[in-house]
Amino acid sequence: MLKFNGRSDGLGNRIEELINLECHCIENDTSCNYYWNNKYNFRSYKNLLNCKNILIQDNYLHKNINIECNFDKYNNIQMRNACKNINYFESINTDLSYISIHIRSTDKLNNRGRDEFTYDFFIDKLKKTLNYLNNMSEEMNIFIASDDNKYKEYYIKNLNKNYHIVDPFLNIIDDTVYKDYFSLVHSKKILMVPKFSSFAATASLLGNNILLSHCHENETSLSRYRCNIEYIDNIKT
């Protein structure tokens, strides 16, 4: 069995590792023991995932690991097949048809690299996304996830009346982070605001849905995720 120590980062980063490890396990007919790393309290998550070829545990850190993730090795088909092996630990589903938005701000506003951004960039894309949505006239259900509630409230207040705010896994998934994540997974398309988020990208892979992005995938780390991408950055506000 392979041994791997997971990142102590956000849920999206951890699921990206699991996708790549599942790809390797499928390709090599093997299995893996994955250490769920809650080193930091501010990025501590319950393990509420099941994987076909990966045992996830948080009891012991491996002293010797014998595999590394290769994030650019696998194509969309291989990654989609791997995603079929990664699920919420309980059976969940919804008959609701809806689109979703994931708004990423907080520490990404530090503008430290190509996946981060300035406040002005963030506000510009926030408004462009709202304009994109409000140019649609059909009635539509929409789920909104944000790491800062004031931006979620901004959309609720300013979206046209043809949108119905939904929360498909309310009272089904108790953990807020996982509720948001699997609500993205089960949506028809995800609008990723403003630039890049592994949370939204991996959710799009697991759901095999459309990921709408303001930036070209080669401008960020998005290229390695092999998502089904549409671009909306030519929208005028």
Side-chain angles (χ1 to χ4, degrees), residues 97-102 132-133 136 138 140-143 183-192 204 207-212 228 230 232:
S97 177
Y98 62 98
I99 64 172
S100 62
I101 309 173
H102 181 249
Y132 167 82
L133 291 167
M136 298 180 185
E138 62 181 299
M140 197 176 304
N141 295 318
I142 189 167
F143 170 77
S183 294
L184 299 183
V185 169
H186 285 264
S187 64
K188 292 195 301 182
K189 60 176 63 176
I190 303 170
L191 286 81
M192 184 169 61
S204 180
N208 194 26
N209 54 29
I210 297 170
L211 182 67
L212 276 76
N228 303 318
E230 293 181 4
I232 58 175

Side-chain angles (χ1 to χ4, degrees), residues 21-39:
L21 290 170
E22 275 287 349
C23 283
H24 180 89
C25 288
I26 293 169
E27 186 177 51
N28 296 279
D29 191 23
T30 188
S31 60
C32 181
N33 185 302
Y34 179 97
Y35 174 67
W36 187 263
N37 193 342
N38 283 330
K39 180 179 179 180

Side-chain angles (χ1 to χ4, degrees), residues 199-215:
F199 193 88
T202 57
S204 180
L205 275 174
L206 261 67
N208 194 26
N209 54 29
I210 297 170
L211 182 67
L212 276 76
S213 174
H214 285 283
C215 301

Side-chain angles (χ1 to χ4, degrees), residues 99-163:
I99 64 172
S100 62
I101 309 173
H102 181 249
I103 306 165
R104 184 72 166 87
S105 56
T106 57
D107 63 309
K108 291 284 188 183
L109 287 164
N110 290 321
N111 199 29
R112 294 166 297 190
R114 66 177 188 158
D115 292 336
E116 300 191 358
F117 39 83
T118 63
Y119 179 75
D120 288 344
F121 181 94
F122 172 71
I123 294 300
D124 177 63
K125 303 309 180 190
L126 197 73
K127 291 179 178 179
K128 282 188 176 181
T129 305
L130 180 66
N131 185 64
Y132 167 82
L133 291 167
N134 283 343
N135 280 334
M136 298 180 185
S137 57
E138 62 181 299
E139 291 216 2
M140 197 176 304
N141 295 318
I142 189 167
F143 170 77
I144 306 171
S146 176
D147 57 6
D148 189 325
N149 197 58
K150 67 174 176 283
Y151 298 118
K152 178 177 180 177
E153 293 300 322
Y154 169 78
Y155 272 92
I156 292 173
K157 181 179 178 180
N158 290 285
L159 279 169
N160 288 343
K161 296 188 183 298
N162 53 301
Y163 287 98

